Amino acid sequence: MFIKDLVLFQYKSHTQVQFVFSQKVVFFLGENGSGKSNILDAIYLLAYTKSYFSSSDTYCLQHNTKACRVSAKIEHKDRQDQVDCVIEKGRKKIVKTNGKTYGKLSDHIGRYPLVI
């Protein structure tokens, strides 16, 4: 699995940021509290449809916002997928792969192997 592009919008400490990866090994360096773990948590969210660190989806929303979005272009098994996750306060979480919304989130889990 290779993540080519990762976009975070109002996700935890990140207002709006895009990462474009060209290497298979990536390092995140920064001060304490700068959001390094939140980037890893966003990747986990796309693989498992839930946060690794937060027990509730509302903790994924940036302070004083009503929604967040995490998106990525992922190469896996000779294909490229666009994966999107949208969390809105008071609404059901939406996870899509290539524009297709899952009826059950469990249908998505396991599609992308990931270990934290």
Side-chain angles (χ1 to χ4, degrees):
M1 179 175 90
F2 176 65
I3 299 170
K4 294 180 72 173
D5 180 89
L6 177 68
V7 177
L8 310 179
F9 179 73
Q10 296 179 340
Y11 185 79
K12 295 189 175 186
S13 62
H14 297 282
T15 301
Q16 186 168 356
V17 65
Q18 179 178 14
F19 301 96
V20 178
F21 305 111
S22 60
Q23 304 280 327
K24 291 201 175 197
V25 177
V26 176
F27 296 92
F28 296 108
L29 300 172
E31 297 291 325
N32 287 343
S34 64
K36 300 177 300 290
S37 295
N38 292 339
I39 297 166
L40 298 177
D41 193 45
I43 294 168
Y44 188 90
L45 176 72
L46 291 175
Y48 292 104
T49 72
K50 64 179 187 173
S51 168
Y52 181 80
F53 298 108
S54 303
S55 58
S56 171
D57 288 339
T58 57
Y59 295 125
C60 295
L61 303 177
Q62 194 172 56
H63 186 66
N64 289 331
T65 62
K66 295 179 181 177
C68 71
R69 181 176 31 86
V70 177
S71 303
K73 290 180 184 138
I74 301 173
E75 287 184 356
H76 180 62
K77 294 185 178 177
D78 298 328
R79 69 175 189 266
Q80 181 172 300
D81 293 334
Q82 174 69 38
V83 182
D84 302 289
C85 180
V86 176
I87 299 170
E88 292 183 73
K89 264 186 194 172
R91 301 194 72 172
K92 185 178 174 186
K93 178 180 354 184
I94 298 170
V95 177
K96 296 180 183 182
T97 299
N98 299 324
K100 178 189 170 220
T101 302
Y102 291 94
K104 297 184 303 183
L105 296 179
S106 60
D107 292 339
H108 176 76
I109 297 170
R111 188 174 175 110
Y112 306 102
L114 180 70
V115 176
I116 287 196

